[in-house]
């Protein structure tokens, strides 16, 4: 293997190279996989011509589009190339898609997360496609000696109507690749009404490989002389290695070595995504995954409590702060006690409108409710793993990561190698949900390979993955509403926090819709590692907020949808404050759409329904969940979702993603929970960590998209947060009891007679 030459300027991503540069993006053989599918009419060309970083065209008109972002099931490997193909004006059946490796000099923002993939790539990819199209037009104009403005394109063909001349893209690709690229700011993009690919569903470009078991995941990759490795983590948070007996495993069949590795150098300044569970671990190396995983059970090691530690971390805005990791062995009961203490005292005020204190003093009555949710494990289907080959001053890392750029600094520091000598190749991920934004498994594999000077495949067991994870924080929130004698809402107060972060967003609904509003935040320090989990923070606060609004609507004698619409109308016509994050009209639009699609005002007999709506990741979602009672247990029958995420690039894939988020939300709401005793997770595999089962999925899910011309916004996460309250509100209708703690199922099991 050889490293790709990465000495290009950022400006050159739209500057074409000579023909010799066309092969620069071909990467390594295990990623090639570029065989035509039956519906494609072209064979592979004999020669490719690079037009820009994202596009190369063969002499026969075949087009290869590079997907810059890692793929973890959100379908970006199909949707992002669709944007390129649209502006390039090529027939989709002539398109091949390849996964680009991490290459920051040629691609911007190679990150999958935050539901920002399509949103952030929308303008850059449209511009890249349109620029390539303009180069082909310019090549035709030069060849035919006609004005470029008289030339049109269609489905991979260039035509000059006046002279009757036509040419395929393949005939012009060589010349186009030698021309100076136009200024991207001057390139004309298509009118949205002219889209032929965007807005029309396309099959997953990896679909055939997935269903036929082709080697597309890191654990499928094998090279000569490759070794296998497993990691031994401390048994609890707040503990570290004291000593271990290497001979307890090296005498076992197939085991080569065991040694300690340290992920960070003492002077290394971490970034947000350098979060890691244990910075010092034990590696076991051998001849097979089975042998190293078995050896873990035989390793004799001693552990001790870790002292309080501190390190520097660069935050989102680049500001560097000191992060303190407290000592001690924590457990769930102490977590609950600490959260109750913080809820009982003043928090940090993050927003205040009007005079909420005065309004509460004048109130005829006050509605107050507290909501809580536990830590959650990500439980990706594919456990953490990575391939690394570090020899001398060169390193090749191949594996599943959402954030390759964020792990590069740690790799460079830990290996003692310059970044330009490290190549990160991106594998398809078997799920992410935020967990793979933290790629310490890359550093672990790289340090092992460097130590043994051989390629290595490192994999976590399911127990490793679940008990040495990066978790969704535990949260708690108290909502209070002040009402006068006429049931008019006078004020609303929310105080929320978590271990170890707060879920509150200062300027989201219902802020801006209530004259007297107070939001307070708090957080409890912890040594349990937390991180992004599908719709961070929103995944809890949406459930608490929307459950409280539902109960408040009932207290005021109002329909829950109409009550929300009243608040949003106030925020639209006479908003309180100027910093509100949301558009009240679009917010109301999804509530109105889900009301219509679910036939909200005409419920069926025996069906109990709840509603919820939330804004996050720049998108608006409202959901209605229908349940019925079978054998004294709730069964989710139907889910109706209304989504305003702007232009939908790939409708079927978008609906699939929404359905997945809804099923994921239902499972976490009913069952999701990680608890701790003396610092150790109490659940280590799926025999104790309950997940939703196939038979428990809703019988019908309808995802309806608002049809508008707004630029695309987030989609992978926004359908997840509303599920919790929609389900909780429907359970209330079915049981007559409000549920204030997640997960719901343990409380349901204590109910003797549910409504039939």
């Amino acid at each position: 293997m050889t490293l790709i030459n990465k000495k290009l300027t950022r400006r050159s991503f739209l500057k074409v190279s000579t023909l010799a540069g066309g092969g620069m993006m071909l990467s390594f053989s295990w990623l090639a996989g570029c065989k035509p599918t039956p519906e494609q009419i072209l064979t592979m060309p004999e020669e490719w011509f690079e037009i820009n970083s994202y596009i190369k065209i063969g002499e026969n008109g075949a087009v290869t589009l590079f997907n810059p972002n890692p793929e973890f099931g959100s379908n970006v490997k199909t949707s992002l190339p669709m944007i390129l193909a649209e502006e390039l004006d090529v027939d989709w059946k002539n398109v091949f898609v390849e996964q680009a490796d991490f290459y920051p000099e040629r691609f911007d923002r190679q990150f999958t997360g935050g539901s920002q993939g399509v949103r952030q790539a929308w303008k850059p990819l449209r511009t890249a496609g349109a620029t390539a199209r303009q180069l082909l037009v310019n090549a035709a104009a030069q060849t035919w000696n006609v004005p470029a403005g008289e030339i049109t394109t269609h489905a991979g063909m260039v035509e000059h109507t006046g002279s009757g001349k036509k040419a395929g893209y393949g005939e012009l690709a060589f010349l186009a690749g030698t021309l100076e690229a136009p200024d991207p700011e001057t390139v004309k993009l298509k009118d949205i009404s002219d889209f032929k690919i965007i807005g029309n569903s396309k099959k997953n470009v990896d679909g055939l490989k997935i269903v036929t078991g082709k080697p597309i995941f890191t654990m499928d990759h094998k090279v000569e002389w490759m070794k296998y490795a497993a990691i031994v983590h401390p048994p609890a948070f707040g503990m570290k290695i004291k000593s271990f007996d290497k001979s307890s495993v090296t005498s076992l069949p197939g085991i080569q070595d065991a040694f300690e590795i340290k992920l960070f150098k003492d002077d290394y300044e971490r970034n947000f995504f350098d979060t890691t569970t244990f910075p010092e671990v034990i590696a076991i190396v051998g001849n097979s995954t089975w042998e190293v995983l078995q050896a873990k059970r035989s390793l004799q090691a001693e552990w001790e409590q870790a002292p309080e530690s501190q390190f520097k971390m660069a935050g989102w805005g680049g500001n560097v702060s000191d992060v303190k990791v407290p000592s001690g062995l924590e457990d769930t009961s102490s977590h609950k006690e600490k959260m109750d203490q913080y809820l009982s005292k003043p928090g940090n005020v993050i927003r205040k409108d009007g005079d909420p204190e005065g309004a509460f003093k004048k109130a005829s009555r006050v509605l107050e409710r507290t909501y809580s949710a536990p830590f959650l494990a990500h439980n990706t289907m594919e456990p953490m793993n990575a391939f690394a080959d570090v020899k001398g001053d060169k390193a090749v890392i191949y594996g599943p990561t959402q954030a390759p750029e964020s792990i590069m600094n740690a790799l460079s520091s830990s290996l003692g190698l310059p970044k330009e000598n490290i190549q990160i190749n991106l594998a398809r991920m078997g799920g992410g949900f935020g967990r793979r934004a933290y790629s310490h498994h890359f550093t672990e594999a790289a340090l092992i390979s460097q130590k043994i000077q051989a390629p290595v495949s490192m994999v976590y067991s399911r127990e490793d993955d679940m008990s040495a994870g990066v978790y969704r924080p535990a949260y708690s929130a108290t909502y209070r509403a002040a009402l006068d004698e006429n049931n008019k809402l006078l004020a609303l107060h929310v105080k929320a926090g978590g271990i170890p972060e707060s879920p509150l967003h200062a300027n989201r609904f219902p802020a801006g819709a209530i004259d007297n509003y107070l939001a307070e935040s708090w957080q409890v320090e912890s040594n349990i590692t937390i991180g992004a989990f599908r719709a961070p923070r929103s995944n809890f606060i949406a459930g608490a907020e929307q459950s409280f609004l539902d109960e408040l609507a009932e207290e005021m004698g109002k329909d829950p949808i109409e009550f929300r619409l009243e608040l949003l109308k106030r925020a639209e016509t006479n908003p309180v404050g100027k910093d509100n994050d949301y558009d009240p009209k679009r917010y109301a639009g999804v509530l109105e759409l889900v009301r219509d699609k679910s036939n909200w005002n005409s419920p069926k007999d025996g069906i109990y329904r709840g509603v919820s709506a939330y804004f996050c990741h720049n998108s608006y979602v409202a959901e209605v969940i229908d349940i019925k009672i079978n054998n004294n247990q709730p069964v989710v029958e139907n889910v109706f979702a209304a989504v305003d995420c702007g232009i939908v690039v790939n409708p079927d894939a978008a609906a699939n993603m929404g359905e997945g988020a809804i099923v994921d939300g239902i499972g976490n709401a009913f069952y999701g929970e990680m608890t701790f005793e003396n610092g150790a997770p109490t659940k280590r595999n799926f025999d104790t960590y309950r997940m939703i089962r196939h038979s428990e999925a809703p019988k019908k899910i309808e995802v309806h998209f608002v049809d508008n011309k707004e630029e695309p916004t987030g989609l992978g996460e926004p359908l997840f947060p509303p599920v919790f309250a929609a389900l909780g509100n429907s359970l209330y209708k079915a049981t007559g009891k409000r549920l204030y703690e997640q997960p719901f199922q343990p409380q349901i099991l204590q109910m003797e007679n549910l409504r039939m």
Side-chain angles (χ1 to χ4, degrees):
M1 296 182 190
T2 57
L3 290 172
I4 293 174
N5 176 17
K6 300 170 74 174
K7 294 182 179 179
L8 296 173
T9 65
R10 185 168 295 277
R11 178 175 173 78
S12 70
F13 98 98
L14 282 176
K15 297 290 188 181
V16 294
S17 65
T18 61
L19 179 60
M24 188 171 292
M25 298 295 292
L26 288 178
S27 188
F28 302 103
S29 60
W30 70 81
L31 288 181
C34 195
K35 296 179 180 178
T37 58
E39 63 244 11
Q40 289 175 310
I41 63 171
L42 297 179
T43 58
M44 292 297 287
E46 295 181 4
E47 200 163 22
W48 290 105
F49 306 108
E50 183 181 288
I51 308 301
N52 60 39
S53 295
Y54 298 94
I55 300 166
K56 61 182 182 181
I57 299 176
E59 87 288 335
N60 65 345
V63 176
T64 287
L65 303 177
F66 289 95
N67 168 51
N69 290 17
E71 174 63 86
F72 65 2
S74 60
N75 218 40
V76 291
K77 193 175 177 182
T78 304
S79 299
L80 296 187
M82 285 175 67
I83 300 172
L84 283 166
E86 182 67 74
E87 291 290 351
L88 181 59
D89 206 4
V90 66
D91 194 325
W92 183 253
K93 66 185 179 183
N94 297 338
V95 169
F96 303 120
V97 175
E98 288 189 30
Q99 175 64 57
D101 295 326
F102 178 57
Y103 210 150
E105 293 85 357
R106 294 173 69 88
F107 303 107
D108 286 315
R109 197 184 183 276
Q110 288 189 266
F111 172 75
T112 297
S115 296
Q116 297 297 296
V118 170
R119 178 174 180 261
Q120 294 285 347
W122 178 248
K123 182 67 179 294
L125 292 189
R126 289 187 69 191
T127 302
T131 302
R133 171 167 43 90
Q134 187 62 53
L135 282 168
L136 291 159
V137 167
N138 292 347
Q142 181 175 317
T143 302
W144 299 334
N145 195 27
V146 298
E150 297 179 3
I151 295 175
T152 59
T153 63
H154 174 71
M157 296 292 295
V158 180
E159 180 177 2
H160 182 249
T161 305
S163 63
K165 293 181 179 180
K166 296 181 180 180
Y169 282 2
E171 300 171 70
L172 298 165
F174 170 71
L175 178 57
T178 65
L179 299 179
E180 172 111 13
D183 183 347
E185 297 298 324
T186 66
V187 173
K188 184 178 180 181
L189 302 180
K190 279 187 176 184
D191 189 272
I192 291 171
S193 62
D194 294 329
F195 285 170
K196 298 179 180 65
I197 295 175
I198 292 173
N200 292 291
S201 297
K202 303 299 178 186
K203 293 180 180 178
N204 186 322
V205 296
D206 279 343
L208 184 62
K209 295 177 184 177
I210 293 170
V211 300
T212 56
K214 293 295 189 294
I216 58 175
F217 297 100
T218 312
M219 287 187 285
D220 295 319
H221 178 57
K222 295 176 175 59
V223 299
E224 194 175 12
W225 311 115
M226 186 175 80
K227 296 296 181 179
Y228 295 84
I231 298 293
V232 181
H233 301 93
F237 291 88
M239 301 195 77
K240 68 182 187 70
I241 303 166
K242 181 178 181 181
S243 64
F244 69 97
D245 181 3
K246 177 178 176 177
S247 65
S248 63
V249 293
T250 52
S251 59
L252 298 175
I255 301 303
Q256 174 182 321
D257 203 356
F259 47 85
E260 183 178 342
I261 55 175
K262 183 177 180 180
L263 270 63
F264 302 114
K265 292 185 177 179
D266 293 336
D267 60 349
Y268 174 65
E269 182 181 285
R270 303 187 199 182
N271 66 49
F272 178 79
F273 290 113
D274 283 328
T275 296
T276 184
T277 308
F278 300 105
E280 297 176 4
V281 296
I282 301 168
I284 300 176
V285 180
N287 295 329
S288 72
T289 298
W290 174 257
E291 287 169 324
V292 295
L293 289 178
Q294 292 303 303
K296 285 182 60 174
R297 301 178 180 179
S298 300
L299 180 70
Q300 296 178 12
E302 289 188 77
W303 313 93
E304 61 184 355
Q305 283 201 35
E308 180 181 291
S309 62
Q310 189 167 298
F311 57 85
K312 293 188 178 298
M313 176 177 285
W316 286 105
N319 296 325
V320 178
S321 60
D322 290 322
V323 176
K324 185 173 72 173
V325 180
S327 61
L329 304 178
E330 303 176 16
D331 57 50
T332 297
S333 60
S334 65
H335 287 160
K336 290 181 178 179
E337 291 174 3
K338 288 180 180 179
M339 288 197 290
D340 288 343
Q341 292 171 7
Y342 274 83
L343 283 170
S344 67
K345 57 186 180 182
N348 175 40
V349 176
I350 62 172
R351 175 158 175 160
K352 183 177 179 181
D353 295 324
D355 180 17
E357 295 89 352
F360 274 97
K361 288 179 182 178
K362 296 176 184 177
S364 295
R365 66 186 190 282
V366 173
L367 179 67
E368 179 174 331
R369 297 291 184 263
T370 296
Y371 305 84
S372 64
F375 288 93
L376 294 176
H378 290 82
N379 295 333
T380 59
M381 186 64 70
E382 174 197 28
M384 300 304 111
N385 68 99
F387 167 85
D389 190 0
V390 183
K391 293 175 183 174
D393 64 349
K394 299 287 192 296
V396 174
I397 317 295
Y398 174 52
T401 176
Q402 295 176 230
E405 186 170 4
S406 298
I407 195 60
M408 180 60 88
N409 287 338
L411 285 168
S412 177
S413 172
S414 299
L415 295 173
L417 298 177
K419 294 180 185 179
E420 57 266 26
N421 285 17
I422 302 172
Q423 176 66 46
I424 298 177
N425 299 318
L426 304 178
R428 186 181 182 92
M429 292 172 269
F433 315 111
R435 175 63 180 89
R436 294 190 205 276
Y438 312 96
S439 304
H440 50 87
H441 49 290
F442 274 38
T443 308
E444 291 169 344
L447 288 170
I448 294 169
S449 177
Q450 186 179 54
K451 171 78 172 179
I452 66 174
Q453 285 293 289
V456 66
S457 175
M458 188 278 298
V459 62
Y460 281 21
S461 67
R462 177 58 61 189
E463 289 79 7
D464 293 329
D465 210 45
M466 196 177 291
S467 64
V470 176
Y471 303 98
R472 196 284 300 268
Y475 292 121
S476 188
T478 294
Y479 280 81
R480 300 168 63 230
L483 300 171
D484 69 9
E485 64 276 6
N486 297 316
N487 269 350
K488 180 182 177 182
L489 178 61
L490 301 177
L492 192 142
H493 173 207
V494 54
K495 185 191 299 180
I499 300 175
E501 71 170 14
S502 171
L504 269 186
H505 296 269
N507 300 316
R508 290 189 183 172
F509 180 79
I514 300 170
D515 287 323
N516 303 298
Y517 179 82
L518 178 63
E520 296 180 89
S521 178
W522 52 267
Q523 60 189 49
V524 179
E525 290 183 344
S526 173
N527 58 28
I528 294 173
T529 308
I530 61 97
F533 187 104
R534 197 171 201 163
R537 300 192 291 165
S538 300
N539 55 44
F540 166 73
I541 202 65
E545 168 202 296
Q546 292 290 307
S547 294
F548 185 72
L549 290 181
D550 215 71
E551 189 166 356
L552 181 57
E554 183 180 52
E555 186 77 12
M556 297 171 69
K558 296 186 176 185
D559 175 85
I561 290 182
E562 292 306 316
F563 174 55
R564 289 168 172 84
L565 289 174
E566 287 177 13
L567 291 174
L568 288 164
K569 192 64 177 179
R570 166 65 197 277
E572 178 190 354
T573 58
N574 187 22
V576 181
K578 298 180 180 180
D579 300 319
N580 303 321
D581 291 341
Y582 58 95
D583 180 336
K585 194 169 184 179
R586 294 179 71 180
Y587 211 139
V590 293
L591 275 164
E592 292 166 346
L593 181 59
V594 84
R595 179 186 60 193
D596 296 342
K597 295 298 183 181
S598 67
N599 292 312
W600 174 259
N601 294 320
S602 302
K604 294 181 180 179
D605 291 340
I607 293 293
Y608 306 96
R609 49 184 19 186
V611 66
S612 175
Y614 198 68
F615 164 77
C616 68
H617 300 86
N618 313 103
S619 293
Y620 304 81
V621 177
E623 294 173 355
V624 168
I625 291 182
D626 290 346
I627 66 172
K628 67 179 183 179
I629 304 301
N630 281 348
N631 299 320
N632 213 41
Q633 285 296 306
V635 175
V636 179
E637 284 284 296
N638 310 306
V639 181
F640 304 89
V643 185
D644 185 346
C645 60
I647 295 169
V648 179
V649 174
N650 194 358
D652 282 354
N656 290 343
M657 190 155 40
E659 292 164 3
I662 288 167
V663 172
D664 193 16
I666 292 170
N668 277 289
F670 269 129
Y671 309 114
E673 181 182 35
M674 177 58 80
T675 56
F676 297 86
E677 291 182 5
N678 292 320
T682 59
K683 302 172 184 180
R684 298 173 55 83
N685 211 317
F686 294 129
D687 59 330
T688 51
Y689 196 106
R690 179 76 154 83
M691 302 287 287
I692 192 170
R693 294 166 182 162
H694 283 243
S695 61
E696 295 166 331
K699 291 185 177 179
K700 180 176 72 174
I701 300 176
E702 293 183 10
V703 180
H704 301 275
F705 295 99
V706 174
D707 184 12
N708 61 32
K709 306 304 180 186
E710 299 286 343
E711 292 191 357
T713 52
L715 186 58
E717 293 163 282
L719 284 95
F720 185 72
V723 171
F724 295 83
L727 180 59
N729 294 334
S730 65
L731 286 168
Y732 164 68
K733 296 292 181 64
T735 66
K737 181 178 179 180
R738 297 275 181 185
L739 301 177
Y740 302 104
E741 296 181 11
Q742 295 173 24
F744 297 148
Q745 186 65 10
Q747 299 163 78
I748 293 170
L749 292 175
Q750 295 175 6
M751 300 179 190
E752 293 183 0
N753 293 302
L754 304 186
R755 295 175 181 173
M756 301 300 290

